[in-house]
Amino acid sequence: MRNVLDWIRGHRAYATAAVVVVVVAMGLGALHHLTRQIRLADVSAAFDAIGRGQVVVALLLTAISYAALILYDVLALRIVGRPLPWRTAALASFTSYTLSHNLGLSLLTGGSARYRIYTAAGLDGPDVARVVAIAGATFWMGVLTVTGFAMLGHSGPLAIGSEILPVWVPPFAGGIVVVLAIGFVALCAKGPRRIGWRGWSVPLPTAGQAMAQIAVATVDLAAASAALFVLIPGADPSLLPTFVLGYALAIIVALVSHVPGGIGVFEAVAIATIPVDRTALFAALIAYRVIYYLFPLALGVIALGWHEARQRLSSQMIFGARRVAEGIAPSLLGAACFGGGAVLLLSGSLPSVPGRLRDLASVMPLPFIEASHLAASLVGTGLLLIAPGLYRRLDGAFLMARTLLLAGAAFSLFKGIDYEEAIVCLTIAGLLQLTKPAFYRRTSLVGRPLSAAWLVSIAAVIGTAIWVGLFSYKHVDYEQSLWWQFAVGDDASRFLRSSLGIAVALAAAALWWLFLPAPVRASATVAPGEIDTILATATRTDAMLALTGDKRFLVSADGDAFVMYQVHGNSWIAMADPVGAKAAWPDLLWQLRSMSDAAQGQLLLYQISADVLEIAIEMGLSIIKYGEEALVDLTSFTVEGSGKRSLRQTHTRLTRNGVTFAVIPAIEVPALIPELAIVSSAWLAAKAHREKGFSLGRFDPTYMAQFDCAVVRVDGQIVAFANVWRTDDLSELSLDLMRHDDHAPSGVMDYLFVELMLWGRAQGYRRFALGLAPLSGIAGRRMAPAWAKIAALLFRHGERLYGFRGLRAYKEKFAPVWAPRYIAGPDGLALVKALRNLNRLISRTGGGMPGIPS
C-alpha cells in the first residue's frame, strides 16, 4: 500500500488525470443511464423544433453573460489596484473564458492567455495571479449565492434523478450559503484589507466592490442559464426558478469534477435535476453547447486570425500589439484544432444524412466512402494529439495540423458530403496559415510527452464520441458480422470500424512516443580560426575554456565576440561572460535566450561577473551569487612580509632542496605528454577523481598542446605541472589543470603558484586568477532568501561534502582581492533542474561542480 501511495505522490499529475478520466467515464455512464429511453430520432425532432427566435434570444443572453465575464476582470484589476483599459480586460477575459469553458484546465488554458495579455500590458506575474484568483472567486461567489437564494426560495422536495431530498434540506443549505455571502460582505466592510498564505496575499474588495462582484456574477449566471432555458421547446416559464437551481448545481458539479468543459458531467446533472421533458432538454443542451461554448470560441479564433492578418499586412502597427496577438494565437488555435478533431470524431459517431449519402453513393464507390469515414476519424484523433504541440508553438505541429485539417475537410466531403465539418476544418487551417509566425519553435514534435491535462482532454473527447455512437445506434443489435458489413445505410458498421481505427491510432501514437529517440539539436558552427581571433582580444583567462572541445559557440554578427555554451536536457548553459567586444554582449545573450526559448529550453548563465548582471536582469533571469574569485595583483606581488611567511618558507625550502620550475612553451609540450600523463594518472588515482568537463579542462594531448605548461622537477623528473592560461594583452594569467604525483615534495603546489606569479610579474602580467571559492562571501542573514541561507550553511558546515572553507583559506594565503561571480537562470524549481543539468554536464566523465583542486 505504501508503494502505491509513494507512486501516486511521485506522479500526482497523472494520478489526478486518471481520477478525472474515471469521473468522465462515470459522467458518460450516468448520461447513458438517464437517456436510455431517449431515441436519436426523438432528439433530432426536438432539435428541429427549436425556432430561430429561440436561437436569437439565446445568442443575446450569451452576449450578456460574456459581457458580465469581462466585468469580472475589470473588477479584479481595480481590486488589485492595477486598472487597465477596458479593451485589454475584454481581450484577456474573452480569450481566457472561451478557452477554459471548452477545455477546462482554467489555470493552464485561460490562465496562460491572461498572463500573456496582462504582462504585455505591464502587470507582473504575482498581479496576474491575483487577478485570476479574484476573477475565479467572483464567479464562485455568484454561483453559490444564486444557488443559495434558489434553494432558500424552493418549495417542496428537490428531485435528483430518482432520488428525492427531504423538504427541509434545500432551504437549510440555502440559508447557510446566504449567511456566508452576507458574512463575506461584512468582512470586506470591517475586516483586514488583505488575506494571504505563506507570503502570497490577495487584497480584499471593499464592501461595495464585493456586492458588485456578487451582482455581476448573478447577471452572468442568470443570463447563461436563461440561454439554455429559452432553447427548451415548450418550457413552462413557471419552472424557471427550479431550473436555475438545477443549472447552478450542474455547473458546480462540472467544475468540481475538473472534467474539461464539464463534458458529460454537466449534461448528466442537468438532466437529473431539471424537471422538464428529457428529450427536449437533451436537444436544448446540444444547441446550448454550440451557442454558448463553441460559437464564442470560433469568434475568438476568427477575431484573432483577422487581427493577425491585419498585423502582417500593415507595417505601421505597434510591435506590442503584434506580440500580444502572437502570444495568444497558440492557445486559441490549439483549442480550435482540438475542437476540429472533436467535430470529426463526433461526426463519425453520428448517422450520415441519408439524402447526401445516396447522392454521394451514386458517384463514389462504396469502398471509397467507407475508407473516407475511417480516415476522417483517424484525422480527428490526430488533431487531438497535435493540439498540445500548437500550444507549445512547435512548427512541426503547425505543419501536421494544417495537413490534417485539409485532409479532414476532404474526407468529410467524401464520407457523406458533410460540408459543415469541411468548412470548420478549412477555417481553422486558414487561421493557422495566417498566424504561422507564432509557431517558431523548431523542435521535434514528439520531443516531450503529452501532459496529464492534455491526456484528460483527449480521453474526454474520445469517450464522448464513443458514447454518442452508442447512443445513436442503441437500436442496433450488435453482432460479429456487423464489423464486416459494407452498405450505404450501414452507419453502425462504420461507427464500429471508426472506433477500432481510433484505438489503433492511439496505440500507434503511444508506441511512437515510447520508442522515438530524443531530439538532437545541431551544434552552432563557426568559421575556422574565428574563435582564435576573438580569443586574442580576451581580457579574462576563463575565455580559454573555449578550447576544451566541449562547447558550442554563438558568434556576433560582426565576428568580434562570442558566447560559449552547451545544451544538456532542456538547459542551455552559457559558460562565463561572453568573450570579445562588450558592445556585442547584449545582442549575443538575447540571441541565445531566443534560441533556448525556441527550443523550449531554459537559459542558465554560469559563473558570470558583475559586467553581465544588468543584461541578465533585463532578460528576466533570477540572480544567485555562486561564490567569489580570488584575483592577485601581480604588479605588487611578493612573498615578503608576515602575511606571506608560510609561502616564503615553503618556497625557500624547496628551492634549497634542488626543486626547479620552468614554463615550457606550447610548441614543446607534445614531447612532454608521456611524462605528464604519468603524473596526471597518479594524481587522479590518489584523489579518486575522474576528469571533469565544461568548466574545467581535462588531460587530453590535443588540449594540452594549445598552452604553455608550468612544470616542477625534482632531480630532472617532472613531479607536478599545470597548463598556463594567459591573455594576449597581459591582463591576466591563470592555471587550469594542476596535478602532482606521489613523489612530489610537500608544498609543491604553493611553490608552483609562487614561481608562476613571479614569472608572470616579470613578463608584465597585471593579475593572477586563482579561481573560484564556491559559496564564498554569501551572508545568510535572517531576511536573506532561502538559497542564501542554504549556501551560507553549506559553506560553514559542509566540509565533508566539499572543502568550501578550506579552499577559500588556501587562497587567502596569496592576499587576493575577491570578485563576486554569479549564476543567472529561471525561477523556482526550473532553476533547481537547470543546476542539476549543469552538474551533470560538468561531471559527464566524473566529478562535480569544481573549484580549483589543491
Side-chain angles (χ1 to χ4, degrees):
M1 184 67 182
R2 177 175 294 179
N3 292 336
V4 174
L5 293 175
D6 291 340
W7 185 91
I8 291 174
R9 294 189 191 99
H11 300 80
R12 183 170 299 175
Y14 289 97
T16 303
V19 171
V20 176
V21 170
V22 171
V23 173
V24 171
M26 293 173 62
L28 292 174
L31 190 58
H32 184 73
H33 175 75
L34 292 167
T35 59
R36 65 188 183 279
Q37 301 299 328
I38 302 175
R39 297 178 66 85
L40 180 63
D42 299 329
V43 175
S44 179
F47 194 84
D48 292 338
I50 300 173
R52 293 182 179 178
Q54 292 170 279
V55 173
V56 171
V57 174
L59 287 170
L60 290 174
L61 290 168
T62 297
I64 293 172
S65 174
Y66 274 88
L69 290 174
I70 293 172
L71 292 178
Y72 285 11
D73 280 47
V74 172
L75 283 171
L77 288 166
R78 291 182 179 178
I79 290 171
V80 300
R82 299 294 302 273
L84 292 174
W86 185 87
R87 290 183 179 179
T88 303
L91 179 63
S93 175
F94 186 73
T95 55
S96 173
Y97 284 114
T98 54
L99 287 171
S100 57
H101 277 170
N102 286 277
L103 293 180
L105 319 171
S106 58
L107 290 178
L108 175 65
T109 56
S112 63
R114 274 194 177 103
Y115 181 83
R116 290 190 178 98
I117 295 169
Y118 284 143
T119 52
L123 267 66
D124 56 19
D127 278 340
V128 176
R130 292 184 181 98
V131 170
V132 172
I134 292 172
T138 301
F139 172 80
W140 277 105
M141 281 192 296
V143 170
L144 295 176
T145 302
V146 169
T147 305
F149 277 107
M151 284 185 165
L152 196 61
H154 182 77
S155 59
L158 179 64
I160 300 179
S162 59
E163 301 294 328
I164 299 178
L165 296 178
V167 176
W168 61 271
V169 171
F172 178 76
I176 292 176
V177 173
V178 170
V179 169
L180 290 175
I182 295 172
F184 175 74
V185 174
L187 175 67
C188 294
K190 296 184 178 180
R193 291 269 58 86
R194 301 184 75 88
I195 57 174
W197 184 68
R198 291 189 175 182
W200 188 80
S201 64
V202 177
L204 281 176
T206 63
Q209 288 173 331
M211 295 177 67
Q213 285 179 291
I214 294 174
V216 167
T218 301
V219 171
D220 166 38
L221 185 64
S225 59
L228 173 59
F229 186 79
V230 299
L231 291 171
I232 303 174
D236 186 351
S238 64
L239 292 175
L240 187 58
T242 304
F243 173 86
V244 171
L245 176 58
Y247 179 90
L249 290 174
I251 286 290
I252 291 172
V253 174
L255 290 174
V256 170
S257 70
H258 293 290
V259 175
I263 190 77
V265 177
F266 172 77
E267 285 79 5
V269 177
I271 291 175
T273 57
I274 297 175
V276 297
D277 179 71
R278 287 186 176 179
T279 301
L281 178 58
F282 193 41
L285 285 167
I286 295 172
Y288 183 70
R289 277 280 175 187
V290 175
I291 292 173
Y292 191 83
Y293 290 86
L294 298 180
F295 183 65
L297 176 62
L299 283 181
V301 173
I302 291 171
L304 174 66
W306 175 253
H307 182 70
E308 178 65 14
R310 292 182 60 192
Q311 296 278 17
R312 296 180 67 181
L313 293 174
S314 173
S315 60
Q316 303 299 320
M317 301 300 287
I318 301 174
F319 172 75
R322 179 180 179 85
R323 184 178 64 177
V324 170
E326 291 189 355
I328 60 178
S331 299
L332 284 177
L333 288 173
C337 180
F338 192 90
V343 167
L344 290 176
L345 289 177
L346 292 171
S347 175
S349 301
L350 290 168
S352 303
V353 179
R356 296 182 189 176
L357 192 57
R358 282 194 299 269
D359 293 340
L360 183 63
S362 65
V363 295
M364 289 285 186
L366 181 60
F368 191 85
I369 296 174
E370 298 287 354
S372 297
H373 193 281
L374 177 60
S377 295
L378 294 177
V379 167
T381 306
L383 288 173
L384 297 184
L385 296 170
I386 292 301
L390 292 176
Y391 182 79
R392 297 205 302 266
R393 304 169 181 267
L394 302 184
D395 61 343
F398 165 82
L399 294 172
M400 186 169 288
R402 187 178 60 182
T403 302
L404 288 176
L405 286 165
L406 294 176
F411 291 135
S412 295
L413 296 175
F414 295 149
K415 74 183 180 68
I417 317 181
D418 295 330
Y419 59 83
E420 299 91 347
E421 290 91 327
I423 291 173
V424 170
C425 290
L426 291 174
T427 301
I428 298 172
L431 293 170
L432 271 174
Q433 186 61 36
L434 288 173
T435 56
K436 182 178 179 180
F439 304 97
Y440 59 85
R441 288 178 170 168
R442 303 184 180 279
T443 56
S444 171
L445 175 62
V446 291
R448 293 183 180 181
L450 289 176
S451 68
W454 281 109
L455 289 173
V456 167
S457 300
I458 292 169
V461 169
I462 292 177
T464 303
I466 293 175
W467 176 84
V468 168
L470 294 173
F471 173 81
S472 301
Y473 306 114
K474 64 170 63 179
H475 61 283
V476 177
D477 292 328
Y478 289 95
E479 319 177 325
Q480 235 178 1
S481 61
L482 199 61
W483 291 93
W484 319 116
Q485 291 181 9
F486 296 92
V488 172
D490 279 339
D491 290 311
S493 298
R494 279 189 282 273
F495 159 67
L496 288 177
R497 287 190 290 271
S498 296
S499 299
L500 177 62
I502 291 169
V504 171
L506 290 175
L511 289 174
W512 188 21
W513 258 283
L514 182 63
F515 292 110
L516 194 75
V520 178
R521 302 178 179 91
S523 299
T525 57
V526 294
E530 191 171 12
I531 296 302
D532 292 336
T533 301
I534 300 173
L535 279 177
T537 67
T539 59
R540 287 182 51 187
T541 50
D542 57 10
M544 303 307 146
L545 286 168
L547 302 176
T548 56
D550 58 2
K551 307 290 191 305
R552 306 182 188 199
F553 301 97
L554 182 61
V555 181
S556 64
D558 294 332
D560 57 354
F562 69 79
V563 60
M564 49 184 157
Y565 70 99
Q566 188 52 271
V567 180
H568 189 83
N570 73 330
S571 299
W572 289 55
I573 304 169
M575 180 67 223
D577 294 356
V579 180
K582 281 192 175 182
W585 290 12
D587 288 342
L588 275 175
L589 291 174
W590 272 107
Q591 187 178 348
L592 187 61
R593 176 72 183 275
S594 298
M595 290 166 59
S596 66
D597 177 71
Q600 304 181 74
Q602 299 279 4
L603 178 62
L604 183 78
L605 307 182
Y606 179 51
Q607 289 191 22
I608 58 174
S609 70
D611 294 337
V612 181
L613 282 185
E614 183 176 351
I615 305 171
I617 292 171
E618 287 176 356
M619 290 194 297
L621 300 179
S622 178
I623 309 297
I624 292 178
K625 186 176 181 181
Y626 175 58
E628 293 180 315
E629 184 180 21
L631 300 174
V632 178
D633 183 2
L634 291 182
T635 60
S636 58
F637 176 74
T638 177
V639 292
E640 302 302 324
S642 59
K644 306 283 181 60
R645 182 179 178 181
S646 64
L647 288 177
R648 185 172 61 252
Q649 289 177 342
T650 298
H651 183 261
T652 301
R653 173 173 56 82
L654 294 186
T655 301
R656 185 186 309 118
N657 292 338
V659 175
T660 61
F661 169 85
V663 175
I664 309 300
I667 195 171
E668 300 176 16
V669 169
L672 294 178
I673 290 297
E675 192 174 358
L676 298 177
I678 295 173
V679 175
S680 178
S681 298
W683 184 87
L684 289 171
K687 298 290 185 181
H689 285 339
R690 290 181 294 172
E691 298 284 6
K692 297 170 183 169
F694 190 64
S695 63
L696 193 69
R698 56 181 294 148
F699 189 85
D700 175 78
T702 302
Y703 173 70
M704 295 292 294
Q706 298 179 84
F707 305 101
D708 297 345
C709 187
V711 298
V712 177
R713 290 186 172 97
V714 175
D715 297 328
Q717 179 183 352
I718 296 177
V719 296
F721 72 88
N723 62 318
V724 179
W725 284 349
R726 52 180 179 172
T727 60
D728 287 2
D729 67 349
L730 304 182
S731 295
E732 190 171 281
L733 182 68
S734 186
L735 297 177
D736 180 24
L737 295 181
M738 295 170 291
R739 297 180 177 179
H740 59 82
D741 64 14
D742 297 336
H743 304 294
S746 173
V748 68
M749 297 314 295
D750 287 0
Y751 174 82
L752 189 152
F753 273 123
V754 170
E755 283 288 349
L756 187 58
M757 289 182 189
L758 294 172
W759 178 88
R761 185 184 66 181
Q763 296 293 321
Y765 287 94
R766 292 188 287 277
R767 66 175 178 271
F768 189 95
L770 272 169
L772 275 169
L775 307 187
S776 171
I778 302 175
R781 302 181 188 277
R782 186 173 64 87
M783 300 300 291
W787 66 263
K789 294 178 180 178
I790 294 172
L793 182 66
L794 285 174
F795 183 80
R796 291 194 299 268
H797 305 291
E799 286 298 301
R800 292 185 178 180
L801 299 175
Y802 186 90
F804 296 108
R805 297 178 69 181
L807 187 59
R808 172 154 183 138
Y810 177 81
K811 295 177 181 181
E812 281 282 9
K813 295 190 297 184
F814 297 90
V817 174
W818 293 96
R821 295 292 178 260
Y822 304 92
I823 291 175
D827 293 320
L829 292 177
L831 178 61
V832 176
K833 183 177 180 180
L835 291 174
R836 183 189 63 184
N837 286 335
L838 167 65
N839 196 51
R840 289 176 176 175
L841 185 63
I842 293 172
S843 57
R844 277 179 173 174
T845 54
M849 284 191 185
I852 285 185
S854 58

